[in-house]
Amino acid sequence: MSDARAVPMVDLKAQYQRIQADVDAALARILETTQFIKGEDCGLFEQEFAAFCGVSRACGVANGTDALTLALKAYGIGPGNEVVTVANTFIATGEAILLNGARPVFVDVDEQTFTMDATRVEKALTARTRLILPVHLYGHPADMGAIGDIAQRHGLPVLEDAAQAHGAELQGRRTGGLGHAACFSFYPGKNLGAFGDAGAVASNDGAFIARVRQVANHGGGANKYDNVVPGTNSRLDTIQAAVLRVKLRHLDRWNQERRERAAAYTAALGGVPNVTLPKEREGARSAWHLYTVRVPDRDGLQAHLKARGIATAVHYPRPIHLQPAMAAAGGRPGDLPVSERLSREVLCLPLYPELPLADVERIAAEVRAFCGAGAARA
Ligand SMILES: *Cc1c(COP(=O)(O)O)cnc(C)c1O
């Protein structure tokens, strides 16, 4: 047991080694040209990433949080407005709303996919609602058909938080094209990760992407020192764009490798008492950013795995309506029973394209042993 290899949550070094020659060549090219800002890789990555998502336009920005914050700004969302979103997400989803002076209105999530419960959205709408912001948590697309129908009836745009869901699909269409626009993060551990911080906004609405680009670059106009609206500096660096271009070529295969590992967990953990496994909704294809199980004794299982060298993570231990940072939104314990229960029961197991299948088997055997299903079947 003690000499078993330690298993991390992600292995960025293993990923780098698979593409090292191409990445090193791309970096050398940028160092040679010294076009660190607005180099040609920036525009090329935007085109290639938009094509990957099946949309016409994308704008690179400095990180996923800025993608959300600047997209909301480009919609003109500000004080007095409300945005309907979920609370079992990374804090950035709520921050982007608050930082624009608007109020997040949190709705609960569906038990099976952990994403926005579309049946609760309509009740959350008020005369102040300006936008609906679902999150494709763990890589699983939210119920965009039902959410889109509600949005259309009320004349509201839907913005996807697709930070965990590059390449996920619903009815054959990819995230990025499932709402009016989508925000992506290229944080290193995401399915598509930069060598630092990076993000993007994607949409079929060219005028909207132009507004995002404007606020991401000091509210710029036609000439360099035209500053038309208050903006900020949130550009995608050329070095990050060059790395992302190399990685994007591999993303479909990497997502497939994640899917195979997720399937191996599901096969090995089926029927284990007290363990609820992640499932895809009919018509949905997850990007499998995380493989997240539900167990009543989550902390016990996490300690059991840690003692055996197996890393795990809790995404997320506190739904964001209960974070002090979101106090202005007025959330209270008991508001969102499903989200609150999930925060006590979810555990993310290691899942990345390079994860050896033998490690999946070993991790599953340890989960079975802890949860009382006896030792490994093999
Ligand atoms: C990672 C993440 C973000 C923020 O992205 P950064 O690039 O880290 O700023 C936003 N929303 C969700 C759901 C995320 O997972």
Side-chain angles (χ1 to χ4, degrees), residues 63-65 68 89-90 92-93 135 161 163-164 185 190 316:
N63 54 67
T65 307
L68 289 161
T89 180
F90 183 57
T93 315
V135 179
D161 183 338
Q164 302 187 0
S185 165
K190 300 285 162 91
Y316 293 89

Side-chain angles (χ1 to χ4, degrees), residues 72-97:
L72 293 177
K73 194 176 289 298
Y75 283 112
I77 285 166
N81 298 155
E82 292 176 357
V83 173
V84 173
T85 190
V86 290
N88 66 328
T89 180
F90 183 57
I91 189 73
T93 315
E95 276 174 336
I97 299 165

